[in-house]
Amino acid sequence: MAPVSRRAFLRDVAGAGLVLGGIVAGRTGWSLVDQHETWEEASLPNDAFFNRHAADLDRLTLGGTFAPEQWTDDAASQAEALAALGVAVRQLGINRTRLGLRWSRSVDANGAIDLAYYRPTLDYCVANGVDLCLNVGPVRVFRWPEDHIPQRVMDTVRLPEHGARISPDEPLAVAAFDHLDRLLDTLRSEYGAQLTARLESVQLENEPFYHIGQNRWRFNQAYMQSLIQRVDTAFPATRLLTTSAGRLNLNAIRDLYETLLRDERFAGRLVSGFDFHYQTPTRDSYPIVRYFDQISYALPFSASAAEHLRDARRLGFSVEVTEGQAEPYGKFTEPGNSVKHFRFLILRCLDKVLDRQAPALIRVWGVEALAKKMLRGELTDEHRDIIAILQRVNGATPGSIDAANR
């Protein structure tokens, strides 16, 4: 977000009240002022940041998301990907990592399960005590184009229309269920108790209730319940994660979990994941909305983050930040390259999204890019300050961070 003077900011807040009156509740203006104050607080240097927010930072863990697909497929690039994972674990203390197993990457040409592409990453995590969140899809796994369906399936199965809401009786859903069953069986047979000990949670379809990805599909409640029952059969003690695009789908997650929690098997196992991408080209294209992050603003009737926390306490599910934006998005180059933006991410989520009475988890979105810079000796002072926060929060031992592992 470009710097804005306080006078201009307050003028625009007043404008927001006039333009958005009747669309956004009156409290939104106050939330926007609070957001602006968080930006100012994030300007403090690291030492002051830790001194002023010690209690909250003591309960925080900074995890991550890791995708070997962020490198090309040649052997040298994949070797660097594995080295980057090692840097994230050893030097940044990121011991809670989300890994996506894309349908198109986890089968061979005949559709049989083949984990060869992901085995180096899985093996490293299992051997080095990394707690895994596996995003198994099956249709949608994080990162564009989001829907990762094998070409063989797309050529033989009638696909839903663009923007459709997918139900369990769709041909694609039937194929997806079959793939998921076989994938889970293979994970159990190849890794057994080693994986179970490290499997922190399983995430089904990424942001399932939001129109996202190349096909703009969504998934209905019955479809998600069918997936969850399958994971429960394969991994009956594992936690189950469902993510939301900011505040937009929090009520859909609440409704899904309210149904599931009628069955005592799911007590204490359900997690709601808030995806916080606060600087995006889409939001910036609107003159007033551009000043709001995903906590300050959402569509009419969306639950607030505070309301979702009340639902979580009432029903008995937990809340994490599954994607905390710390990498560039389009023209926005500051996330991931500015320590002020990193401090803003942490403060905003600790204050508004996460339960103040419980341990807090923010999974950093952009670990791959930061680890690349560390490996290649491309760090700026801003990156070093970001790394210092990661190390201090996670209790990692500071070491040489330039040209790591060389």
Side-chain angles (χ1 to χ4, degrees):
M1 182 178 295
V4 60
S5 72
R6 189 164 186 83
R7 176 176 295 180
F9 171 78
L10 294 174
R11 180 197 63 219
D12 285 329
V13 169
L18 293 173
V19 174
L20 298 175
I23 300 177
V24 181
R27 63 188 177 186
T28 300
W30 292 111
S31 179
L32 192 56
V33 172
D34 182 71
Q35 177 185 318
H36 186 67
E37 291 174 349
T38 304
W39 276 112
E40 293 183 337
E41 186 72 10
S43 299
L44 295 171
N46 277 359
D47 285 346
F49 172 72
F50 276 96
N51 288 337
R52 288 168 65 101
H53 303 283
D56 273 339
L57 294 171
D58 282 347
R59 66 184 177 89
L60 174 64
T61 297
L62 291 170
T65 288
F66 192 86
E69 290 90 351
Q70 292 299 97
W71 285 260
T72 56
D73 288 345
D74 62 274
S77 294
Q78 285 299 300
E80 186 185 57
L82 193 59
L85 177 60
V87 165
V89 173
R90 293 192 306 274
Q91 298 202 35
L92 303 180
I94 295 179
N95 294 310
R96 299 177 72 175
T97 295
R98 182 173 65 143
L99 173 68
L101 303 181
R102 299 179 183 181
W103 187 353
S104 58
R105 288 279 192 177
S106 55
V107 293
D108 63 20
N110 297 315
I113 301 297
D114 182 357
L115 295 177
Y117 181 79
Y118 293 110
R119 194 168 286 114
T121 306
L122 286 167
D123 288 352
Y124 180 91
C125 291
V126 168
N128 289 277
V130 178
D131 289 331
L132 279 169
C133 169
L134 291 183
N135 180 195
V136 296
V139 173
R140 183 182 296 167
V141 173
F142 61 81
R143 289 203 180 274
W144 188 260
E146 305 290 335
D147 304 324
H148 300 288
I149 307 166
Q151 190 61 49
R152 179 177 176 273
V153 174
M154 291 193 290
D155 290 342
T156 58
V157 172
R158 179 174 59 81
L159 298 179
E161 295 181 359
H162 186 84
R165 191 187 297 269
I166 298 175
S167 60
D169 56 349
E170 289 274 359
L172 178 60
V174 174
F177 294 157
D178 174 68
H179 168 73
L180 180 61
D181 289 340
R182 292 183 293 114
L183 175 64
L184 297 174
D185 285 345
T186 301
L187 287 168
R188 287 193 305 164
S189 64
E190 291 197 14
Y191 287 95
Q194 281 187 309
L195 177 61
T196 302
R198 298 264 62 96
L199 190 57
E200 177 184 54
S201 58
V202 174
Q203 177 192 359
L204 289 314
E205 309 292 8
N206 191 49
E207 297 184 6
F209 302 117
Y210 182 57
H211 281 304
I212 192 176
Q214 197 169 37
N215 297 293
R216 306 286 291 173
W217 290 328
R218 290 181 293 173
F219 304 87
N220 72 10
Q221 296 272 341
Y223 175 92
M224 292 301 297
Q225 290 173 29
S226 295
L227 291 181
I228 287 170
Q229 295 291 346
R230 285 173 155 79
V231 175
D232 178 64
T233 299
F235 295 101
T238 300
R239 297 198 305 165
L240 300 155
L241 169 67
T242 310
T243 55
S244 169
R247 288 169 46 198
L248 297 179
N249 317 116
L250 296 179
N251 283 339
I253 293 175
R254 176 204 62 198
D255 294 345
L256 174 66
Y257 285 178
E258 191 160 22
T259 299
L260 289 171
L261 286 166
R262 295 170 188 165
D263 187 332
E264 63 182 12
R265 289 179 302 159
F266 296 109
R269 292 173 54 199
L270 302 181
V271 185
S272 174
F274 194 101
D275 288 351
F276 183 57
H277 294 268
Y278 59 94
Q279 287 198 331
T280 69
T282 299
R283 188 176 300 108
D284 188 65
S285 66
Y286 296 97
I288 298 299
V289 175
R290 64 183 302 190
Y291 292 114
F292 294 79
D293 67 15
Q294 290 171 299
I295 297 168
S296 294
Y297 176 81
L299 296 175
F301 310 112
S302 297
S304 69
E307 288 167 340
H308 192 60
L309 278 176
R310 287 196 289 271
D311 288 334
R313 295 183 187 117
R314 174 175 61 86
L315 294 172
F317 62 85
S318 58
V319 178
E320 69 171 44
V321 175
T322 303
E323 294 178 9
Q325 185 184 2
E327 72 174 22
Y329 193 154
K331 69 179 184 178
F332 293 107
T333 60
E334 300 94 343
N337 296 307
S338 159
V339 67
K340 175 180 177 178
H341 282 69
F342 195 65
R343 290 189 290 250
F344 173 81
L345 160 70
I346 291 171
L347 292 175
R348 195 77 172 130
C349 292
L350 280 172
D351 188 38
K352 300 300 180 185
V353 178
L354 300 167
D355 192 336
R356 288 180 171 274
Q357 307 304 315
L361 172 63
I362 300 173
R363 298 187 190 273
V364 177
W365 180 257
V367 169
E368 306 97 333
L370 182 59
K372 282 182 185 179
K373 289 181 172 66
M374 294 173 72
L375 285 168
R376 298 172 184 178
E378 298 173 352
L379 298 175
T380 66
D381 288 343
E382 295 285 310
H383 296 130
R384 292 185 182 89
D385 281 347
I386 292 171
I387 290 167
I389 292 173
L390 282 158
Q391 290 177 330
R392 186 163 172 180
V393 167
N394 287 342
T397 302
S400 175
I401 58 175
D402 283 298
N405 276 9
R406 286 189 175 179

